[in-house]
Tab-separated table of all heavy atoms in Angstrom:
chain	number	residue	atom	x	y	z
A	1	ASP	N	105.064	119.696	102.811
A	1	ASP	CA	104.104	120.768	103.090
A	1	ASP	C	103.298	121.147	101.842
A	1	ASP	O	103.410	122.251	101.312
A	1	ASP	CB	104.805	122.000	103.675
A	1	ASP	CG	103.798	122.999	104.256
A	1	ASP	OD1	102.705	122.570	104.670
A	1	ASP	OD2	104.103	124.208	104.262
A	2	ILE	N	102.487	120.186	101.391
A	2	ILE	CA	101.608	120.384	100.232
A	2	ILE	C	100.164	120.286	100.726
A	2	ILE	O	99.509	119.251	100.564
A	2	ILE	CB	101.884	119.340	99.128
A	2	ILE	CG1	103.373	119.279	98.793
A	2	ILE	CG2	101.063	119.661	97.875
A	2	ILE	CD1	103.758	118.128	97.890
A	3	PRO	N	99.655	121.332	101.376
A	3	PRO	CA	98.323	121.252	101.970
A	3	PRO	C	97.207	120.963	100.963
A	3	PRO	O	96.203	120.341	101.314
A	3	PRO	CB	98.129	122.616	102.629
A	3	PRO	CG	99.167	123.506	102.059
A	3	PRO	CD	100.276	122.632	101.560
A	4	LEU	N	97.395	121.370	99.728
A	4	LEU	CA	96.386	121.130	98.700
A	4	LEU	C	96.053	119.647	98.561
A	4	LEU	O	94.904	119.272	98.352
A	4	LEU	CB	96.881	121.682	97.359
A	4	LEU	CG	95.975	121.469	96.158
A	4	LEU	CD1	94.717	122.305	96.297
A	4	LEU	CD2	96.703	121.817	94.876
A	5	LEU	N	97.056	118.792	98.699
A	5	LEU	CA	96.848	117.355	98.526
A	5	LEU	C	96.472	116.620	99.808
A	5	LEU	O	96.114	115.446	99.758
A	5	LEU	CB	98.104	116.701	97.942
A	5	LEU	CG	98.361	116.892	96.461
A	5	LEU	CD1	99.583	116.094	96.036
A	5	LEU	CD2	97.160	116.488	95.632
A	6	PHE	N	96.545	117.303	100.952
A	6	PHE	CA	96.275	116.602	102.209
A	6	PHE	C	94.922	115.879	102.194
A	6	PHE	O	94.866	114.677	102.489
A	6	PHE	CB	96.372	117.545	103.418
A	6	PHE	CG	96.115	116.843	104.710
A	6	PHE	CD1	97.130	116.149	105.345
A	6	PHE	CD2	94.842	116.830	105.271
A	6	PHE	CE1	96.889	115.460	106.533
A	6	PHE	CE2	94.592	116.154	106.441
A	6	PHE	CZ	95.618	115.469	107.080
A	7	PRO	N	93.821	116.559	101.858
A	7	PRO	CA	92.538	115.837	101.876
A	7	PRO	C	92.477	114.669	100.900
A	7	PRO	O	91.836	113.661	101.169
A	7	PRO	CB	91.516	116.908	101.490
A	7	PRO	CG	92.186	118.208	101.742
A	7	PRO	CD	93.644	117.966	101.529
A	8	PHE	N	93.163	114.791	99.768
A	8	PHE	CA	93.125	113.756	98.746
A	8	PHE	C	93.926	112.514	99.151
A	8	PHE	O	93.748	111.450	98.571
A	8	PHE	CB	93.638	114.306	97.413
A	8	PHE	CG	92.748	115.376	96.858
A	8	PHE	CD1	93.029	116.718	97.076
A	8	PHE	CD2	91.600	115.053	96.149
A	8	PHE	CE1	92.202	117.708	96.588
A	8	PHE	CE2	90.765	116.036	95.655
A	8	PHE	CZ	91.066	117.369	95.872
A	9	SER	N	94.813	112.666	100.114
A	9	SER	CA	95.563	111.526	100.642
A	9	SER	C	94.952	111.024	101.947
A	9	SER	O	94.797	109.821	102.143
A	9	SER	CB	97.023	111.924	100.892
A	9	SER	OG	97.633	112.345	99.705
A	10	ALA	N	94.599	111.955	102.827
A	10	ALA	CA	94.121	111.581	104.164
A	10	ALA	C	92.734	110.948	104.147
A	10	ALA	O	92.483	109.984	104.877
A	10	ALA	CB	94.133	112.814	105.077
A	11	ALA	N	91.817	111.470	103.333
A	11	ALA	CA	90.450	110.941	103.342
A	11	ALA	C	90.387	109.481	102.886
A	11	ALA	O	89.820	108.637	103.594
A	11	ALA	CB	89.521	111.827	102.518
A	12	PRO	N	90.978	109.130	101.741
A	12	PRO	CA	90.917	107.709	101.370
A	12	PRO	C	91.716	106.819	102.330
A	12	PRO	O	91.324	105.679	102.581
A	12	PRO	CB	91.484	107.669	99.948
A	12	PRO	CG	92.208	108.947	99.759
A	12	PRO	CD	91.578	109.941	100.686
A	13	LEU	N	92.797	107.356	102.894
A	13	LEU	CA	93.547	106.573	103.882
A	13	LEU	C	92.684	106.326	105.114
A	13	LEU	O	92.688	105.228	105.674
A	13	LEU	CB	94.853	107.285	104.260
A	13	LEU	CG	95.732	106.575	105.287
A	13	LEU	CD1	96.106	105.170	104.832
A	13	LEU	CD2	96.984	107.414	105.558
A	14	GLY	N	91.927	107.328	105.510
A	14	GLY	CA	91.035	107.165	106.663
A	14	GLY	C	90.030	106.046	106.470
A	14	GLY	O	89.820	105.221	107.363
A	15	VAL	N	89.404	105.988	105.309
A	15	VAL	CA	88.419	104.923	105.081
A	15	VAL	C	89.116	103.573	104.911
A	15	VAL	O	88.575	102.541	105.326
A	15	VAL	CB	87.456	105.244	103.919
A	15	VAL	CG1	88.081	105.042	102.562
A	15	VAL	CG2	86.183	104.420	104.044
A	16	ALA	N	90.321	103.561	104.351
A	16	ALA	CA	91.070	102.295	104.258
A	16	ALA	C	91.380	101.765	105.657
A	16	ALA	O	91.237	100.564	105.920
A	16	ALA	CB	92.353	102.497	103.448
A	17	TYR	N	91.800	102.667	106.553
A	17	TYR	CA	92.035	102.254	107.943
A	17	TYR	C	90.757	101.670	108.550
A	17	TYR	O	90.788	100.636	109.216
A	17	TYR	CB	92.500	103.435	108.793
A	17	TYR	CG	93.947	103.834	108.656
A	17	TYR	CD1	94.356	105.089	109.088
A	17	TYR	CD2	94.917	102.987	108.142
A	17	TYR	CE1	95.684	105.489	108.997
A	17	TYR	CE2	96.248	103.372	108.040
A	17	TYR	CZ	96.622	104.622	108.479
A	17	TYR	OH	97.936	105.017	108.391
A	18	ALA	N	89.640	102.344	108.328
A	18	ALA	CA	88.367	101.859	108.888
A	18	ALA	C	88.016	100.486	108.322
A	18	ALA	O	87.535	99.612	109.050
A	18	ALA	CB	87.253	102.859	108.609
A	19	ARG	N	88.263	100.283	107.040
A	19	ARG	CA	87.991	98.979	106.422
A	19	ARG	C	88.840	97.873	107.044
A	19	ARG	O	88.457	96.707	107.028
A	19	ARG	CB	88.252	99.031	104.918
A	19	ARG	CG	87.270	99.858	104.139
A	19	ARG	CD	85.996	99.114	103.943
A	19	ARG	NE	85.128	99.810	103.007
A	19	ARG	CZ	83.890	99.450	102.789
A	19	ARG	NH1	83.371	98.404	103.419
A	19	ARG	NH2	83.150	100.125	101.957
A	20	LEU	N	89.984	98.266	107.614
A	20	LEU	CA	90.865	97.297	108.279
A	20	LEU	C	90.618	97.237	109.787
A	20	LEU	O	91.392	96.625	110.510
A	20	LEU	CB	92.334	97.650	107.987
A	20	LEU	CG	92.758	97.485	106.525
A	20	LEU	CD1	94.134	98.086	106.289
A	20	LEU	CD2	92.734	96.012	106.123
A	21	GLY	N	89.555	97.888	110.254
A	21	GLY	CA	89.205	97.851	111.671
A	21	GLY	C	89.905	98.895	112.517
A	21	GLY	O	89.778	98.878	113.742
A	22	ARG	N	90.625	99.795	111.915
A	22	ARG	CA	91.349	100.849	112.632
A	22	ARG	C	90.472	102.103	112.662
A	22	ARG	O	90.773	103.127	112.056
A	22	ARG	CB	92.689	101.109	111.942
A	22	ARG	CG	93.604	99.888	111.980
A	22	ARG	CD	94.765	99.955	111.021
A	22	ARG	NE	95.677	101.062	111.282
A	22	ARG	CZ	96.775	101.275	110.565
A	22	ARG	NH1	97.099	100.465	109.568
A	22	ARG	NH2	97.551	102.310	110.842
A	23	PHE	N	89.337	101.989	113.391
A	23	PHE	CA	88.293	103.011	113.340
A	23	PHE	C	88.731	104.372	113.867
A	23	PHE	O	88.447	105.393	113.242
A	23	PHE	CB	87.045	102.538	114.100
A	23	PHE	CG	86.528	101.217	113.608
A	23	PHE	CD1	86.489	100.124	114.452
A	23	PHE	CD2	86.117	101.061	112.298
A	23	PHE	CE1	86.025	98.900	114.002
A	23	PHE	CE2	85.654	99.847	111.827
A	23	PHE	CZ	85.599	98.764	112.686
A	24	ASP	N	89.392	104.406	115.016
A	24	ASP	CA	89.789	105.696	115.589
A	24	ASP	C	90.733	106.452	114.665
A	24	ASP	O	90.547	107.642	114.415
A	24	ASP	CB	90.426	105.516	116.970
A	24	ASP	CG	89.426	105.038	118.023
A	24	ASP	OD1	88.204	105.219	117.801
A	24	ASP	OD2	89.864	104.491	119.048
A	25	GLU	N	91.750	105.761	114.154
A	25	GLU	CA	92.693	106.390	113.227
A	25	GLU	C	91.970	106.866	111.962
A	25	GLU	O	92.217	107.960	111.460
A	25	GLU	CB	93.778	105.403	112.796
A	25	GLU	CG	94.852	105.129	113.805
A	25	GLU	CD	95.801	104.064	113.267
A	25	GLU	OE1	95.435	102.873	113.323
A	25	GLU	OE2	96.892	104.456	112.803
A	26	GLY	N	91.109	106.015	111.458
A	26	GLY	CA	90.399	106.339	110.224
A	26	GLY	C	89.488	107.541	110.376
A	26	GLY	O	89.519	108.468	109.560
A	27	LEU	N	88.685	107.534	111.430
A	27	LEU	CA	87.758	108.654	111.639
A	27	LEU	C	88.503	109.951	111.923
A	27	LEU	O	88.094	111.020	111.468
A	27	LEU	CB	86.769	108.313	112.761
A	27	LEU	CG	85.707	107.297	112.356
A	27	LEU	CD1	84.995	106.731	113.583
A	27	LEU	CD2	84.714	107.922	111.382
A	28	SER	N	89.616	109.853	112.630
A	28	SER	CA	90.420	111.046	112.901
A	28	SER	C	90.966	111.641	111.607
A	28	SER	O	90.902	112.857	111.382
A	28	SER	CB	91.561	110.696	113.858
A	28	SER	OG	92.413	111.806	114.024
A	29	LEU	N	91.510	110.801	110.739
A	29	LEU	CA	92.045	111.285	109.463
A	29	LEU	C	90.948	111.864	108.581
A	29	LEU	O	91.137	112.892	107.934
A	29	LEU	CB	92.736	110.146	108.711
A	29	LEU	CG	94.230	110.010	108.862
A	29	LEU	CD1	94.748	108.824	108.058
A	29	LEU	CD2	94.960	111.275	108.462
A	30	LEU	N	89.805	111.207	108.548
A	30	LEU	CA	88.687	111.708	107.749
A	30	LEU	C	88.226	113.078	108.240
A	30	LEU	O	87.962	113.976	107.437
A	30	LEU	CB	87.529	110.706	107.768
A	30	LEU	CG	87.748	109.496	106.863
A	30	LEU	CD1	86.935	108.314	107.340
A	30	LEU	CD2	87.401	109.858	105.428
A	31	ALA	N	88.164	113.258	109.550
A	31	ALA	CA	87.762	114.556	110.106
A	31	ALA	C	88.798	115.626	109.771
A	31	ALA	O	88.438	116.759	109.400
A	31	ALA	CB	87.560	114.444	111.615
A	32	ARG	N	90.075	115.280	109.896
A	32	ARG	CA	91.138	116.253	109.566
A	32	ARG	C	91.105	116.622	108.086
A	32	ARG	O	91.311	117.782	107.720
A	32	ARG	CB	92.512	115.687	109.927
A	32	ARG	CG	92.799	115.705	111.417
A	32	ARG	CD	94.162	115.123	111.768
A	32	ARG	NE	95.252	115.705	111.006
A	32	ARG	CZ	96.345	115.036	110.649
A	32	ARG	NH1	96.495	113.765	110.995
A	32	ARG	NH2	97.298	115.621	109.967
A	33	ALA	N	90.848	115.648	107.232
A	33	ALA	CA	90.773	115.915	105.791
A	33	ALA	C	89.645	116.892	105.482
A	33	ALA	O	89.832	117.857	104.734
A	33	ALA	CB	90.583	114.615	105.020
A	34	ALA	N	88.481	116.651	106.073
A	34	ALA	CA	87.333	117.543	105.840
A	34	ALA	C	87.619	118.942	106.376
A	34	ALA	O	87.289	119.948	105.736
A	34	ALA	CB	86.083	116.959	106.486
A	35	GLU	N	88.252	119.007	107.542
A	35	GLU	CA	88.589	120.300	108.148
A	35	GLU	C	89.573	121.083	107.280
A	35	GLU	O	89.376	122.278	107.022
A	35	GLU	CB	89.188	120.060	109.534
A	35	GLU	CG	89.606	121.303	110.274
A	35	GLU	CD	90.257	120.943	111.593
A	35	GLU	OE1	89.628	120.208	112.378
A	35	GLU	OE2	91.396	121.394	111.822
A	36	LYS	N	90.621	120.417	106.817
A	36	LYS	CA	91.634	121.079	105.977
A	36	LYS	C	91.028	121.530	104.653
A	36	LYS	O	91.333	122.617	104.165
A	36	LYS	CB	92.826	120.159	105.706
A	36	LYS	CG	93.624	119.807	106.920
A	36	LYS	CD	94.427	120.985	107.412
A	36	LYS	CE	95.333	120.546	108.545
A	36	LYS	NZ	95.998	121.654	109.190
A	37	ALA	N	90.181	120.697	104.066
A	37	ALA	CA	89.540	121.071	102.804
A	37	ALA	C	88.652	122.300	102.998
A	37	ALA	O	88.671	123.216	102.174
A	37	ALA	CB	88.719	119.904	102.262
A	38	ALA	N	87.914	122.334	104.098
A	38	ALA	CA	87.046	123.492	104.376
A	38	ALA	C	87.869	124.755	104.594
A	38	ALA	O	87.506	125.834	104.117
A	38	ALA	CB	86.164	123.200	105.581
A	39	GLU	N	88.993	124.621	105.302
A	39	GLU	CA	89.874	125.782	105.522
A	39	GLU	C	90.363	126.368	104.207
A	39	GLU	O	90.493	127.578	104.064
A	39	GLU	CB	91.096	125.379	106.361
A	39	GLU	CG	90.829	125.160	107.815
A	39	GLU	CD	92.055	124.609	108.546
A	39	GLU	OE1	93.167	124.564	107.959
A	39	GLU	OE2	91.889	124.202	109.711
A	40	MET	N	90.638	125.496	103.247
A	40	MET	CA	91.142	125.940	101.943
A	40	MET	C	90.009	126.267	100.973
A	40	MET	O	90.268	126.629	99.833
A	40	MET	CB	92.028	124.855	101.323
A	40	MET	CG	93.307	124.601	102.051
A	40	MET	SD	94.347	123.377	101.194
A	40	MET	CE	93.430	121.859	101.446
A	41	LYS	N	88.758	126.076	101.446
A	41	LYS	CA	87.585	126.223	100.581
A	41	LYS	C	87.704	125.313	99.353
A	41	LYS	O	87.354	125.677	98.239
A	41	LYS	CB	87.387	127.680	100.187
A	41	LYS	CG	87.111	128.579	101.379
A	41	LYS	CD	86.794	129.975	100.969
A	41	LYS	CE	86.549	130.937	102.084
A	41	LYS	NZ	86.457	130.612	103.401
A	42	ARG	N	88.220	124.126	99.597
A	42	ARG	CA	88.465	123.123	98.566
A	42	ARG	C	87.338	122.101	98.631
A	42	ARG	O	87.368	121.186	99.447
A	42	ARG	CB	89.812	122.459	98.836
A	42	ARG	CG	90.257	121.507	97.806
A	42	ARG	CD	90.978	122.242	96.718
A	42	ARG	NE	91.394	121.269	95.721
A	42	ARG	CZ	91.443	121.550	94.451
A	42	ARG	NH1	91.165	122.737	94.025
A	42	ARG	NH2	91.814	120.627	93.601
A	43	MET	N	86.337	122.240	97.780
A	43	MET	CA	85.160	121.397	97.880
A	43	MET	C	85.140	120.233	96.879
A	43	MET	O	84.230	119.422	96.894
A	43	MET	CB	83.896	122.257	97.707
A	43	MET	CG	83.754	123.337	98.781
A	43	MET	SD	83.961	122.746	100.483
A	43	MET	CE	82.526	121.714	100.657
A	44	VAL	N	86.152	120.153	96.014
A	44	VAL	CA	86.220	119.029	95.086
A	44	VAL	C	86.271	117.735	95.896
A	44	VAL	O	87.071	117.608	96.815
A	44	VAL	CB	87.471	119.143	94.186
A	44	VAL	CG1	87.648	117.896	93.343
A	44	VAL	CG2	87.390	120.381	93.325
A	45	ASP	N	85.400	116.822	95.605
A	45	ASP	CA	85.304	115.516	96.263
A	45	ASP	C	84.738	115.578	97.689
A	45	ASP	O	84.697	114.550	98.368
A	45	ASP	CB	86.650	114.788	96.288
A	45	ASP	CG	86.964	114.077	94.984
A	45	ASP	OD1	86.062	113.944	94.142
A	45	ASP	OD2	88.113	113.652	94.811
A	46	ALA	N	84.294	116.733	98.160
A	46	ALA	CA	83.751	116.816	99.522
A	46	ALA	C	82.617	115.806	99.753
A	46	ALA	O	82.595	115.155	100.804
A	46	ALA	CB	83.296	118.239	99.839
A	47	PRO	N	81.676	115.621	98.816
A	47	PRO	CA	80.652	114.592	99.044
A	47	PRO	C	81.236	113.187	99.150
A	47	PRO	O	80.743	112.364	99.914
A	47	PRO	CB	79.739	114.718	97.819
A	47	PRO	CG	79.927	116.116	97.355
A	47	PRO	CD	81.386	116.410	97.612
A	48	LEU	N	82.299	112.922	98.404
A	48	LEU	CA	82.951	111.612	98.482
A	48	LEU	C	83.570	111.413	99.861
A	48	LEU	O	83.489	110.327	100.441
A	48	LEU	CB	84.016	111.488	97.390
A	48	LEU	CG	84.810	110.184	97.351
A	48	LEU	CD1	83.890	108.984	97.109
A	48	LEU	CD2	85.889	110.269	96.274
């Protein structure tokens, strides 16, 4: 339960999944990462 790190793990994992053709999983993780970061007002790396 380390929510601070969730976007930093989930976002790159999401794009890695997409690079391997796992689009639904990847896009879902990327959306969750952006949502969690916004909830925490954590904007570091948001453009990335």
Side-chain angles (χ1 to χ4, degrees):
D1 193 27
I2 309 170
L4 178 69
L5 283 184
F6 181 83
F8 295 96
S9 300
L13 180 57
V15 77
Y17 282 162
R19 290 282 190 189
L20 293 170
R22 297 165 62 179
F23 305 118
D24 292 339
E25 284 176 281
L27 286 165
S28 174
L29 264 180
L30 283 156
R32 284 179 52 212
E35 179 183 306
K36 295 288 186 188
E39 285 173 10
M40 293 184 290
K41 297 185 182 353
R42 185 86 180 146
M43 299 311 293
V44 173
D45 279 348
L48 179 61

